[in-house]
Every structure is written in C-alpha cells, then in structure tokens.
C-alpha cells in the first residue's frame, strides 16, 4: 500500500523533468496511474467482503509512536476505489478539457499529488501520519483551485480554501496529540477498544471539538462552508475530483473512521445531527437562488455533505448503511453533473442556467448522462439514488422521539436537492435550442465518455444493488464497529410510509422545478443578505485583523533597528525582572568561586576599555575594530575556561564580521550623529538594566544544584550510539538531527522565497 501511495508522488516528481512530453496527445497516458491503482485496490474486494482486514506497518519515528501503518478495510477500500476510479475518469477528461494548455503537465502533477495524498489519508492507521496526508491534500488542493493563477478570484479562492482547511488541520493535529496522550498510542486500530476510557476522560469534549473542527472545515459544514462555492473558480476537473468524491469527503471519512473511537456519546451524536441538519437545509435552500451551474452544484454538494454528517450523527446501523450508500450515490451523480457542466461551459462558453436550454439537439450523449444523473440525485427509480433516499428516510423514520422532526428536515432537503439536480442535469438540455447555440459541436469522446460511464453506473447499481451490497456496503458498515450482516439492498421495499415519503418528495420537487425558474432577480434578492453570511463575517474579521496588525507592525517595526532592539530589551527586562524579583532566592556561595587570576583580570580590563571606546568614538572603523577586540577577548576567556572549540568558532565569526563591516563601512560617508544625548542616555540605561538582569539570571542559575544527567548521557553515548568523538557535533547531527534538519529546511525555504521574490515581475495592476 505504501508503494501505491508513493506512485502518485513519484509521478508528480517525474513530470517535473518530463512534463513537456505530457502536453500533447500523449497526456492521456497519465490516466494509466489511477487506472493501475484502481485495479490494484479492486483485487482486494473479495478478501475485504469476506471480513478480512489487511494491514501493513512501516517504522518511521518509533520513538514518538509515529509510524506508517496502513489499514485496508471496508471503509478505506470504498474511498480508495472512489479516489482512483473517479480519478481515472478525471485524468482522461482532463486530457481533452485542457488540451493545448501550456501548463497541462503541471496540472497533472498537482492532480497526482492530490490523489496520492488522499490515498495516504484514507489508508493511514496512525493519526499523525494521517495528519501529514491531510495537510498534503490541503496544499495540493490549493494549487489546483488556484491553477488559473492569472485570475485574482482564483488566487483569492485558493487562499480562502487553504486558510479554512489549514485551521482544521491544526485542530486535527492537536486533537490527535490529545488522543495519543490519553491512549498511549496513535494507532486507530489500537484505540478501537478504548472507547469507554476515552469517553470518561475529562478532555473528551475538547478532543471531540477539535476533531469536529477538522472534519467540519474540510467537509464544508456550516459555518465553514463558504470556501467551497468560491473554489468553483477552479477548472472543472478540479471541481469534479475534489468536490464530488475526494477532498470534501475527507472530513466525512474522518468522522466515520473515528466513530468507533469517539462515537456513541451524546455530545458526538447530538452535535453531528444539529450541524448536519443546519448545513443540509441551509445549503439546499441556497440552490434555489443560483443561476450558475457550478454554484448550484456547489451548494447541493454542501447539502449532501450535511446529510452525511446528519446520518453519521444518528449512529444506527440503518443510518450508517444509508450513509455508505449515499457516499456512492453522491460520488456518481455529482461527478457526472460536474463533468457535464464542464462540457457545457467548454462548448458554449457559459454556465448561466437562465440562457441554457435545448442542448440535447447538439450534445445528445451528454444529455443522456445528465438525465440519468438528475434522476439519481432526485432519488427516482430505478437509479441507485432511489435506494439511497429510501435508506435515509428509513433511518430517520425509526429514530425514536426525534423521528418526525428529522424525517421532515431530510424530506425538505431532498425536495430542494431534486430541484437542484433537475436544474443542473435536465434544464440545459430541454426546450428549444437558442440560435446562439446552434453551432455548438460535440466535444471529444474523451470528454463525454467519462460522465456517460458514471451516469450508467447510477442506473446499473440501482437495478442491481447486489453489486455493491456485499462488496462495499456491508464491509464499510462493519468497519465502523456495527454488524452489517443483515443489510440487504433492494430497489423496492413494498408499499409503506417510506415509499409514500419518496412519492411526496418526487412530486413536490417536480412541481417546484416547473414553477420556480432560476432568475437573476432571485439571485440579486438573496445577495441582499450577503452581509449577514458567515463569509462576510469572516472577511470583515480578516479585514479588521489586517488593519490592526498593519497598525501594530508600523508602530513597532518602523524601520529603525535601534527601536527593535530597545523594544525587545524592555519586554525582556520587564518580564524577566518581575519573575526574578518575585521568586528568586540568591543563596550564592561566593566563597566557592575560584579566585580571579591575572589573565582573567587583564582580559576583562581590555574588554571594558574596548567597550568604552566603541561607545564614545566618532569613527565607524574605530568602533568596528573595538568590537573585534571585544570578540577576541571573549575568545581568550573561552580558552581560559577550557572551551577551545567555542573559542575557534568565536574567533572565526569575529574575524569575518570585522572584515565584512570594514569593507561595507569604508565606502560610507563620514560618521554622522544620528542620536541626541537623551537617546544615548536612554540606551545606556537600557543596556545597564539588561546587563543587570543577565547577571542576576546567571546568579540564579549558579544557586541551583547542578544536574549533569543530560550532559553525562551525551558524553557516555556520543561515540557508542553515533560513532562521533565531538559531543557537540554529535548532538547537532544525531541526537538533535530532526531539529537540525528542520532548521536547514527553514533556511532552504527562505532562500527559495528570496530567490522567487528577486525573480518576481508583477504588473502594476497586480502590485499591492
């Protein structure tokens, strides 16, 4: 499984060097990667359906309990098949949709990276490695959403998506660390038996809140939903892949995976039901006011994600079965509708539902796919959407005292989603063909074949639900800690209340579709309430924060190094001084100190004279030379105290610094007096106060008993464990190797950033 995950990353790196070969007809060969992965995961269907759980373990950072452990069960298998299966169709579609694009190879690189990150996310058993892949999906999706980087709106949408999901990523990391500290492991498989202990822990509510923060931001739950409609600025393959089957369902996956660990608790269930219900109804209502096809699909996607959270919150076998089926249903019909929207936009140049109609006459195969997808989204037999809708109604109808309320909410949502599905999948193809679209041509079969395949899947799985019952649905429900043996999917369950609710939904939704037409007037009306929306609130908060931070920065970072140093010293003196004078106990035995030798006194005297000369001289070169003397005096002290390595380091740095300063200052004009006596007095007082604080700190340290446990350990093990005789070097390279590597990485990233800024050439319109 590790190699399957790394394949996508490897292909992305491969494209860096061979990308020019994937910009023409050969670009379709990129689809071989997800196809091969789909075949690889498909071979496990039989074993997983028999109840087997396949695990792999690779040691990574065992000292911290962080390892690359992978689990393939019913839940991860379903997501892996969706990621690779729909990924294959998206890769094929992209070869025609972005044909001739100068950055097609780059797009495939981002897409492959995202696919690999999603596979790593759904297969990871270790929470920390899951977090790493979680963040990689956010980063790669940032590049995909902002692919049209010449567009200001695309860049803005990408940043908003990254910011929202990035906050969720931090929430996931903190929640994972809390879980690991409570359970003693980061392995999800090992946590499965610890539900009672976790639920009784005083930090349970905090942990669940953090996990919810991650899931809700990633899966666009209210009030974090607004990043998803903005992400529609991305090319259609991105919208299809990220917002139908993969990224937005990462949060759903996280909730399902952790249901056996954190679920079966009132706070878990109630919160998910409430948030899911608000999200699904709120977003479904928004579909009534959108005239852009992608806007309709975006809000209907958010609503569908709300339904999934709503079902997970119920936690029953019926609800989780409905959720498992609905994940398949939504992936099939929503991917179809997104791909169709891309075809319409690509061939007609518009996504405006108020002008699109009659396209069946010029895009007949696309129209067939649209009709089938719309029927499945509406839950009309014999599509798989009908089975999903029936199961959803079944779960809410038998949910105790809240049955009527929950059923009413889901029925309203389904009515509105039927309307949205008809607007996206049927309206553009019915009616008379406008004159402006008469010359519309059929696209390449590489574009219309993928949505047709997905649409046929909506029909085939509806007629033959047994194809997914034992292979996908039962194992998925079982992987969430419930017994899925008695699950039976049928197209017709007899004449009952559930069927009546389905008929009512279809009837009212159809009436709504024929009576309410998308108009700009409705869209303008709902825009009046935009100032109360979560997006506006967050945007205004960001604007306020930016204004405040800008003022704060200008106050303290005004371009004068003197002020920066003074500010740092004042805060250090205040905080450290307060702590010292309220808690310090200077029980220092001065008699235990060794007597001051002649060499120490002479060196200190030279240092003091050099300091005085540096402060009062009017020559830059003399000041630099005096500072060099101070540095060399410190080197001598290091030698006296048996630290030759530090002395050599200090000697090298001081020599280099003096030379560089002399070379720079030699060409500058004569010494200028840039401060008056008041500023010098202030600086002198600050310097004396700071020196006093440092002296007191040293005395405080000397008063503490010496603990040589750490230094003794390094001295004893430097050669044995790291085969190095220089203890300092061994500490930096081996014992603190990860820290040193991160420091080097930070420097490398900073260097890349500086290089990019040096090369940046912005238009005046893009400058800020």
């Amino acid at each position: 499984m590790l190699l399957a995950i790394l394949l996508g990353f490897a292909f992305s790196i491969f494209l860096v060097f061979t990308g020019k070969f994937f910009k023409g007809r050969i670009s379709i060969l990129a689809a071989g990667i997800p196809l091969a992965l789909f075949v690889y995961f498909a071979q496990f269907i039989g074993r997983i359906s028999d109840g087997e759980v396949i695990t792999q373990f690779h040691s990574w950072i065992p000292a911290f309990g962080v390892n690359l452990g992978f689990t393939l069960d019913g839940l991860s298998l379903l997501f892996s098949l969706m990621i690779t299966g729909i990924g294959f169709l998206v890769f094929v579609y992209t070869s025609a949709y972005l044909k001739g694009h100068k950055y097609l190879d780059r797009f495939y690189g981002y897409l492959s990276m995202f696919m690999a990150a999603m596979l790593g996310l759904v297969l990871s058993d270790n929470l920390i490695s899951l977090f790493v892949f979680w963040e990689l999906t956010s980063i790669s999706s940032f590049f995909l959403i902002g692919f049209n980087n010449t567009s200001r709106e695309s860049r803005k949408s990408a940043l908003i998506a990254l910011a929202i999901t990035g906050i969720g990523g931090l929430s996931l990391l903190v929640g994972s660390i809390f879980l690991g500290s409570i359970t003693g492991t980061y392995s999800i498989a090992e946590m499965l038996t610890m539900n009672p202990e976790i639920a009784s822990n005083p930090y349970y509510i905090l942990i669940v809140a953090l996990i919810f923060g991650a899931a809700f931001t990633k899966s666009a739950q209210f009030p974090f939903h607004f990043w998803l409609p903005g992400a529609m600025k991305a090319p259609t393959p991105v919208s299809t892949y990220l917002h139908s089957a993969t990224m937005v369902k990462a949060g759903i996956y996280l909730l399902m995976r952790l249901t056996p660990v954190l679920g079966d608790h009132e706070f878990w269930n109630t919160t998910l039901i409430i948030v899911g219900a608000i999200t699904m109804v709120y977003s479904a209502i928004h579909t009534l006011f959108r005239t852009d096809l992608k806007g309709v699909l975006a809000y209907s996607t958010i609503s569908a994600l709300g339904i999934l959270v709503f079902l997970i919150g119920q936690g029953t076998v019926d609800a989780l079965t409905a959720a498992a089926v609905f994940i398949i249903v939504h992936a099939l019909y929503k991917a179809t509708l997104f791909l169709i929207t891309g075809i319409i936009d690509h061939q007609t140049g518009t996504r405006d539902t108020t002008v699109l109609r009659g396209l069946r006459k010029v895009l007949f195969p696309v129209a067939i796919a649209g009709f089938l997808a719309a029927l499945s989204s509406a839950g009309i037999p014999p599509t798989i959407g009908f089975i999903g809708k029936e199961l959803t109604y079944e779960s809410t109808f038998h949910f105790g005292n809240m049955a009527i309320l929950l059923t009413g909410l889901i029925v309203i949502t389904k009515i509105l989603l039927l309307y949205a599905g008809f607007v996206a999948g049927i309206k553009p193809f019915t009616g008379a063909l406008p004159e402006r679209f008469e010359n519309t041509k059929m696209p390449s079969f590489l574009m219309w074949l993928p949505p047709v395949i997905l649409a046929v899947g909506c029909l085939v799985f509806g007629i033959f639900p047994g194809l997914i019952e034992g292979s996908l649905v039962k194992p998925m429900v079982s992987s969430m800690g419930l017994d899925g043996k008695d699950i039976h999917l049928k197209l017709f369950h007899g004449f009952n209340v559930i069927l009546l609710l389905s008929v009512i939904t279809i009837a009212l939704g159809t009436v709504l579709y024929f009576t309410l037409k998308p108009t700009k007037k409705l869209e303008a009306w709902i825009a009046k309430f935009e100032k109360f929306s979560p997006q506006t609130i967050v945007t205004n908060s960001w604007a306020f924060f930016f204004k405040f931070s800008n003022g704060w920065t200008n106050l303290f970072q005004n371009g004068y190094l003197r002020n920066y140093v003074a500010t740092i010293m004042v805060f250090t003196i205040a905080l450290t001084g307060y702590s010292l004078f309220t808690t310090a106990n200077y029980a220092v035995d001065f008699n235990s100190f060794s007597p001051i030798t002649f060499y120490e006194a002479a060196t200190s005297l030279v240092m003091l004279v050099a300091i005085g000369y540096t402060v009062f001289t009017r020559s830059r070169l003399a000041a630099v030379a005096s500072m060099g003397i101070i540095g060399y005096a410190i080197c001598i002290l290091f030698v006296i105290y048996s630290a030759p390595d530090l002395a050599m380091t200090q000697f090298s740095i001081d020599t280099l610094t003096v030379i560089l300063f002399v070379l720079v200052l030699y060409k500058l004009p004569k010494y200028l007096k840039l401060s008056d006596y008041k500023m010098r007095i202030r600086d002198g007082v600050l310097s004396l106060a700071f020196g006093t604080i440092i002296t007191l700190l040293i005395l405080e340290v000397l008063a503490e008993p010496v603990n040589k446990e750490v230094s003794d350990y390094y001295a004893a093990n430097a050669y044995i464990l790291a085969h190095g005789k220089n203890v300092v070097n061994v500490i930096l390279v081996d014992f603190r190797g990860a820290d040193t590597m991160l420091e080097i990485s930070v420097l490398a990233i900073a260097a890349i950033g500086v290089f990019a800024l040096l090369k940046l050439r912005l238009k005046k319109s893009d400058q800020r």
Side-chain angles (χ1 to χ4, degrees):
M1 283 185 276
L2 178 61
L3 291 177
I5 295 168
L6 293 178
L7 182 61
F9 291 120
F11 183 64
S12 296
I13 297 172
F14 175 73
L15 287 175
V16 173
F17 304 99
T18 62
K20 62 181 180 180
F21 299 110
F22 284 85
K23 293 184 179 181
R25 294 181 179 179
I26 198 176
S27 63
I28 194 174
L29 295 180
I33 302 296
L35 178 60
L37 291 173
F38 179 80
V39 173
Y40 169 75
F41 286 109
Q43 67 175 325
F44 293 107
I45 292 178
R47 295 168 62 182
I48 299 299
S49 61
D50 290 337
E52 184 178 353
V53 176
I54 301 167
T55 60
Q56 288 185 7
F57 179 85
H58 303 275
S59 181
W60 188 16
I61 315 176
F64 295 113
V66 180
N67 298 293
L68 291 175
F70 300 106
T71 299
L72 188 65
D73 56 8
L75 180 60
S76 54
L77 177 64
L78 173 60
F79 275 85
S80 297
L81 291 174
M82 286 196 307
I83 292 165
T84 55
I86 294 181
F88 164 67
L89 297 177
V90 169
F91 271 64
V92 171
Y93 181 92
T94 299
S95 66
Y97 185 83
L98 293 178
K99 182 180 179 180
H101 198 290
K102 64 178 180 178
Y103 295 132
L104 178 58
D105 57 327
R106 183 184 298 181
F107 186 83
Y108 272 127
Y110 297 154
L111 216 56
S112 298
M113 188 197 316
F114 176 82
M115 177 183 67
M118 276 301 304
L119 284 175
L121 191 158
V122 301
L123 292 171
S124 290
D125 174 63
N126 189 282
L127 277 176
I128 302 301
S129 60
L130 186 150
F131 160 76
V132 172
F133 289 115
W134 181 282
E135 289 299 274
L136 285 173
T137 62
S138 296
I139 294 170
S140 52
S141 67
F142 167 77
F143 291 125
L144 288 168
I145 295 171
F147 181 70
N148 297 321
N149 52 31
T150 56
S151 167
R152 183 178 180 274
E153 290 299 317
S154 293
R155 298 196 302 270
K156 180 181 177 181
S157 298
L159 284 171
I160 291 175
L162 181 64
I164 298 298
T165 56
I167 293 172
L170 291 175
S171 180
L172 174 61
L173 176 61
V174 177
S176 299
I177 292 173
F178 267 107
L179 266 177
S181 64
I182 291 172
T183 60
T185 179
Y186 290 115
S187 170
I188 300 174
E190 294 178 11
M191 293 180 184
L192 293 177
T193 59
M194 304 182 188
N195 179 279
E197 292 87 345
I198 297 173
S200 60
N201 191 279
Y203 291 106
Y204 172 81
I205 301 297
L206 176 61
I207 292 171
V208 171
L210 291 168
I211 297 300
F212 283 167
F216 293 166
T217 53
K218 201 79 161 185
S219 290
Q221 298 300 293
F222 184 91
F224 308 107
H225 65 283
F226 56 86
W227 69 263
L228 198 150
M232 293 299 124
K233 298 293 187 297
T236 296
V238 177
S239 302
T240 304
Y241 198 31
L242 272 64
H243 306 139
S244 64
T246 53
M247 179 179 170
V248 291
K249 287 196 175 72
I252 302 300
Y253 169 83
L254 183 67
L255 294 175
M256 288 183 160
R257 178 58 76 195
L258 294 182
T259 288
V261 177
L262 299 172
D264 197 22
H265 188 281
E266 183 178 358
F267 179 72
W268 174 276
N269 295 66
T270 304
T271 304
L272 290 181
I273 290 174
I274 293 173
V275 173
I278 293 173
T279 302
M280 69 184 188
V281 176
Y282 173 86
S283 301
I285 292 173
H286 266 275
T287 61
L288 302 175
F289 302 95
R290 306 297 155 182
T291 59
D292 182 275
L293 281 175
K294 273 196 172 183
V296 173
L297 294 178
Y299 279 101
S300 63
T301 297
I302 298 170
S303 182
L305 295 169
I307 292 174
L308 287 170
V309 172
F310 177 76
L311 292 171
I312 295 170
Q314 295 176 42
T316 62
V317 175
D318 288 343
L320 293 180
T321 301
V325 174
F326 189 64
I327 286 175
I328 301 172
V329 171
H330 182 257
L332 289 173
Y333 83 72
K334 190 54 63 70
T336 303
L337 293 176
F338 267 120
L339 293 176
I340 289 172
T341 297
I343 292 173
I344 293 173
D345 189 19
H346 190 273
Q347 300 304 114
T348 66
T350 182
R351 300 193 303 259
D352 190 349
T353 58
T354 62
V355 299
L356 289 170
R357 59 182 182 275
L359 294 177
R360 71 188 183 282
K361 297 179 180 179
V362 289
L363 301 173
F364 185 71
V366 182
I368 296 298
F371 273 70
L372 290 175
L375 293 177
S376 186
S377 71
I380 297 176
T383 64
I384 183 66
F386 175 74
I387 298 175
K389 178 161 61 65
E390 293 266 295
L391 291 171
T392 303
Y393 288 171
E394 189 79 34
S395 68
T396 57
F397 192 70
H398 297 100
F399 196 73
N401 298 329
M402 299 177 65
I404 296 177
L405 174 62
L406 298 186
T407 303
L409 291 174
I410 194 67
V411 167
I412 293 171
T413 301
K414 288 290 186 178
I415 291 172
L416 298 175
L417 289 183
L418 182 149
Y419 169 85
F422 279 14
V423 168
I426 294 179
K427 187 182 183 304
F429 303 104
T430 56
L433 181 67
E435 184 178 346
R436 60 184 288 193
F437 299 138
E438 288 180 353
N439 295 324
T440 302
K441 304 295 183 183
M442 274 291 294
S444 166
F445 78 98
L446 296 177
M447 284 183 67
W448 62 259
L449 187 58
V452 168
I453 292 173
L454 291 169
V456 170
C458 295
L459 187 62
V460 171
F461 290 142
I463 298 173
F464 305 104
L467 294 173
I468 60 172
E469 177 188 298
S471 59
L472 297 176
V473 178
K474 285 185 177 181
M476 182 174 175
V477 174
S478 298
S479 67
M480 287 184 279
L482 299 175
D483 186 4
K485 295 180 180 179
D486 296 330
I487 296 174
H488 297 289
L489 303 183
K490 297 180 181 178
L491 186 61
F492 181 67
H493 290 81
F495 295 97
N496 50 31
V497 176
I498 304 302
L499 180 62
L500 177 62
L501 291 175
S502 291
V503 173
I504 293 173
T505 301
I506 296 170
L508 293 180
T510 304
V511 170
L512 180 64
Y513 169 71
F514 283 109
T515 55
L516 182 64
K517 301 297 181 182
T519 63
K520 297 292 184 181
K521 185 177 180 180
L522 279 175
E523 195 169 38
W525 181 81
I526 196 67
K528 296 178 181 179
F529 301 95
E530 189 67 23
K531 60 183 177 181
F532 303 110
S533 69
Q535 180 175 2
T536 302
I537 294 172
V538 171
T539 303
N540 291 339
S541 300
W542 175 86
F544 171 78
F545 178 78
F546 179 80
K547 184 177 180 181
F548 172 78
S549 60
N550 192 44
W552 184 268
T553 302
N554 291 335
L555 177 63
F556 287 100
Q557 297 188 18
N558 52 14
Y560 291 97
L561 181 60
R562 180 195 301 269
N563 289 351
Y564 300 165
V565 176
T567 302
I568 294 171
M569 291 176 66
V570 166
F571 275 92
T572 303
I573 292 168
L575 295 177
T576 309
Y578 174 79
S579 176
L580 285 174
F581 287 112
T582 55
T583 61
N585 180 21
Y586 303 109
V588 182
D589 184 10
F590 291 98
N591 295 322
S592 64
F593 293 171
S594 59
I596 298 175
T597 65
F598 169 76
Y599 301 104
E600 293 170 342
T603 305
S604 301
L605 180 61
V606 170
M607 191 185 305
L608 289 173
V609 172
I611 291 172
Y613 196 81
T614 302
V615 172
F616 294 105
T617 184
R618 298 179 61 83
S619 169
R620 287 194 184 92
L621 293 179
V624 171
S626 298
M627 290 183 68
I629 293 173
I630 296 170
Y632 290 156
I634 294 173
C635 292
I636 295 173
L637 291 177
F638 284 151
V639 172
I640 292 173
Y641 289 104
S642 303
D645 53 344
L646 291 179
M648 289 304 299
T649 304
Q650 179 78 15
F651 176 80
S652 302
I653 292 174
D654 267 294
T655 302
L656 181 62
T657 303
V658 169
I659 293 172
L660 290 176
F661 267 113
V662 169
L663 291 175
V664 172
L665 297 179
Y666 185 74
K667 296 291 185 180
L668 291 179
K670 289 186 66 177
Y671 188 83
L672 299 176
K673 188 177 180 181
L674 298 176
S675 60
D676 56 25
Y677 73 96
K678 293 181 179 178
M679 293 180 65
R680 292 187 177 190
I681 293 174
R682 182 202 67 181
D683 293 344
V685 172
L686 274 178
S687 300
L688 290 172
F690 190 74
T692 303
I693 288 294
I694 297 300
T695 303
L696 293 175
L697 276 175
I698 294 172
L699 292 174
E700 179 74 8
V701 171
L702 291 174
E704 294 294 325
V706 179
N707 186 342
K708 296 186 177 181
E709 182 180 351
V710 175
S711 57
D712 289 343
Y713 172 82
Y714 286 136
N717 292 280
Y719 187 78
I720 297 173
L721 297 179
H723 308 290
K725 295 181 179 179
N726 189 313
V727 179
V728 175
N729 289 350
V730 168
I731 291 173
L732 291 175
V733 177
D734 291 277
F735 292 108
R736 288 182 56 226
D739 183 38
T740 305
M741 183 188 69
L742 289 175
E743 291 174 356
I744 295 171
S745 301
V746 169
L747 290 174
I749 293 170
I752 293 171
V754 171
F755 179 77
L757 289 174
L758 291 174
K759 290 289 186 179
L760 186 62
R761 297 292 184 271
L762 288 178
K763 300 177 181 177
K764 288 187 176 181
S765 58
D766 294 329
Q767 292 178 358
R768 182 171 169 178

